[in-house]
Amino acid sequence: MNKTEALLSHIREVYGAGLIPLHRPVFNDREKSYLEECVDSSFVSSVGPLVGEFEKKMAQFTKAGHTIAVVNGTAALHLSFRVLGVEAGNEVITQALGFVATSNALTYLRAKPVFLDVDKDSLGMSPTALREWLESNVEMQNGKPVNRLTGARIGACAPIHTFGLPCRITEIVNVCNRYSIPVVEDAAESLGSYVGGVHTGLIGTIGTFSFNGNKLITTGGGGMVVTNDESLAARVRHLSTTAKIPHEYEFAHDEIGYNYRMPNINAALGCAQMEKVELMLAIKKEVADGYAALFDKYEIKSVKSREGTTANNWLNAIILDTAEDKNSLLQRSNQDEILMRPIWRLLSTLTMFEGAARDSLSNSSWLADRVVNVPSSVPDSEIYRLPNEHS
Ligand SMILES: *Cc1c(COP(=O)(O)O)cnc(C)c1O
């Protein structure tokens, strides 16, 4: 059997007949009973008691000092950049090989992205590319990192833990510390991924998660900011709730805020999902191990988690030899209703970011031509293992 046929038949074996999505959420009676509790209480909007419960569950799971639930991952990024003082005219260092939300969020503050290359093994920002770009472009002026050419302040650095694979975040933070650049860790895809024993999102200054329907766990739409910095957390909480000064009944606001808090009905889903997360991670590890054995046998190149890190196996990714191979695999699998997807187009090629600063992006371009995600959901046949009745 050739590689493609072996891969497709493996996927059919794991996921069965019919259309196979790339990643779909799993629900059972646990979600329904939380939702019923929420609807019966009539508190469906922000901020009900289940929001606090969901935040507590996330804090326990990630060991974050502070967790603030918001409406989506993009809002979490927007608030994170905002509380770190990113402002109009600043430059924010990020990846060209990434989801558009990170660069969108910094642009909401009228900052500009600087697109740096990724490492081929982690698909995340290369600390070497970062160090080289900073050394040749940035100098400290009055204690602040400033781009010598443009005169812009470097507001933040925002690497991504792509597909749940931890990037070299410790090295990135070390480089950024030398320039007093705060790090926003986009951990949207990496719930359950660790560097050493530390959960992703908690190595940089501030971290963000997404609970969109395609992520490891979902709240319908949702996101979260995590940090161990108490004053940053307080700022995020305040800005996310229209900057309202806490009071029993008075409406007073002390700055322009956002309506970004997570509604209670979304948190209801989140509470149920968090009670399953450990088992979901275990099942997804089995799916990833199944793929790994096949990849070994048929010499299919794939992206693996690095030594010293634990990946959540959110999306499994393979690396084709050429762009032509990638295109023909995508065509073939989608024809068969096996919804494989290519990695993102480089953001530096999108019209709104055409003028953005960048380095060579050589690994990013190479990967953009070759990386494909394969279906990675919890298989239907394993759902019975997840907690069902309300605890
Ligand atoms: C999903 C995702 C986001 C945005 O999250 P939303 O909840 O969809 O706004 C941001 N960054 C990355 C890397 C993502 O995968």
Side-chain angles (χ1 to χ4, degrees):
M1 205 168 6
N2 77 25
K3 283 184 198 193
T4 305
E5 297 313 314
L7 178 58
L8 296 179
S9 83
H10 174 83
I11 293 170
R12 280 285 166 215
E13 233 166 79
V14 174
Y15 290 106
L19 183 132
I20 303 175
L22 188 65
H23 201 277
R24 59 124 176 73
V26 284
F27 304 123
N28 58 20
D29 289 345
R30 185 70 59 106
E31 278 76 14
K32 288 178 194 160
S33 92
Y34 265 106
L35 284 169
E36 196 173 288
E37 177 190 325
C38 181
V39 170
D40 287 346
S41 79
S42 87
F43 284 97
V44 294
S45 211
S46 60
V47 177
L50 291 169
V51 176
E53 199 174 319
F54 179 47
E55 288 175 342
K56 207 161 96 195
K57 285 177 187 294
M58 273 290 290
Q60 277 164 356
F61 183 76
T62 61
K63 308 227 160 48
H66 308 276
T67 49
I68 305 104
V70 295
V71 288
N72 57 51
T74 310
L77 285 160
H78 184 190
L79 286 174
S80 297
F81 289 130
R82 171 74 197 267
V83 300
L84 291 173
V86 171
E87 55 191 9
N90 284 178
E91 291 173 4
V92 173
I93 301 165
T94 187
Q95 304 175 196
L97 189 68
F99 184 55
V100 72
T102 325
S103 291
N104 278 348
L106 66 94
T107 307
Y108 299 162
L109 297 162
R110 289 188 287 142
K112 294 189 171 84
V114 173
F115 293 121
L116 297 189
D117 208 3
V118 297
D119 285 324
K120 267 189 188 169
D121 57 353
S122 73
L123 309 183
M125 186 182 289
S126 153
T128 310
L130 175 65
R131 185 176 44 74
E132 285 175 2
W133 189 83
L134 288 169
E135 278 173 4
S136 48
N137 292 281
V138 172
E139 63 185 26
M140 300 306 284
Q141 292 177 11
N142 306 319
K144 294 199 165 127
V146 172
N147 185 326
R148 230 180 268 124
L149 260 163
T150 61
R153 184 168 70 83
I154 310 302
C157 176
I160 302 169
H161 299 294
T162 306
F163 306 150
L165 297 153
C167 67
R168 288 186 168 75
I169 187 65
T170 312
E171 293 86 333
I172 289 168
V173 169
N174 286 340
V175 174
C176 284
N177 281 347
R178 278 184 243 147
Y179 291 83
S180 303
I181 298 171
V183 175
V184 175
E185 255 181 282
D186 187 341
E189 304 178 354
S190 66
L191 183 63
S193 301
Y194 299 81
V195 176
V198 185
H199 199 289
T200 49
L202 290 159
I203 299 137
T205 321
I206 204 163
T208 62
F209 291 95
S210 165
F211 308 111
N212 192 27
N214 61 344
K215 299 291 173 10
L216 177 76
I217 67 159
T218 186
T219 59
M224 192 163 285
V225 177
V226 299
T227 182
N228 289 321
D229 184 315
E230 193 176 344
S231 68
L232 286 178
R235 283 283 294 147
V236 169
R237 204 172 285 274
H238 186 58
L239 282 172
S240 68
T241 43
T242 60
K244 185 180 180 296
I245 301 166
H247 189 278
E248 246 178 283
Y249 46 80
E250 292 269 5
F251 281 98
H253 309 260
D254 57 4
E255 60 186 310
I256 304 283
Y258 303 88
N259 181 14
Y260 274 179
R261 277 294 259 169
M262 178 180 280
N264 208 43
I265 194 142
N266 297 87
L269 272 183
C271 288
Q273 292 265 287
M274 278 308 286
E275 290 171 10
K276 301 179 167 154
V277 71
E278 301 271 13
L279 267 165
M280 287 178 67
L281 286 166
I283 295 168
K284 286 175 70 72
K285 170 88 169 61
E286 292 169 12
V287 170
D289 288 346
Y291 272 127
L294 177 93
F295 297 162
D296 267 356
K297 185 167 168 199
Y298 287 91
E299 296 182 344
I300 296 170
K301 281 190 223 97
S302 66
V303 192
K304 304 183 183 82
S305 61
R306 291 177 304 109
E307 219 20 57
T309 70
T310 310
N312 63 0
N313 303 298
W314 174 55
L315 284 187
N316 296 280
I318 59 174
I319 307 176
L320 283 300
D321 287 335
T322 64
E324 293 72 45
D325 288 356
K326 176 197 75 167
N327 292 333
S328 61
L329 175 63
L330 285 169
Q331 231 168 34
R332 173 71 213 282
S333 64
N334 281 276
Q335 244 164 29
D336 281 14
E337 298 194 303
I338 295 176
L339 305 192
M340 295 188 190
R341 290 284 176 263
I343 197 168
W344 310 283
R345 288 244 208 116
L346 295 193
L347 299 177
S348 50
T349 67
L350 305 181
T351 44
M352 62 280 197
F353 299 126
E354 259 169 8
R358 66 200 62 184
D359 66 5
S360 76
L361 300 179
S362 56
N363 289 342
S364 305
S365 310
W366 190 91
L367 290 163
D369 279 343
R370 292 169 177 80
V371 173
V372 168
N373 288 122
V374 292
S376 301
S377 314
V378 169
D380 283 344
S381 57
E382 305 300 320
I383 292 178
Y384 77 93
R385 290 162 63 186
L386 300 172
N388 194 3
E389 284 83 42
H390 201 315
S391 52

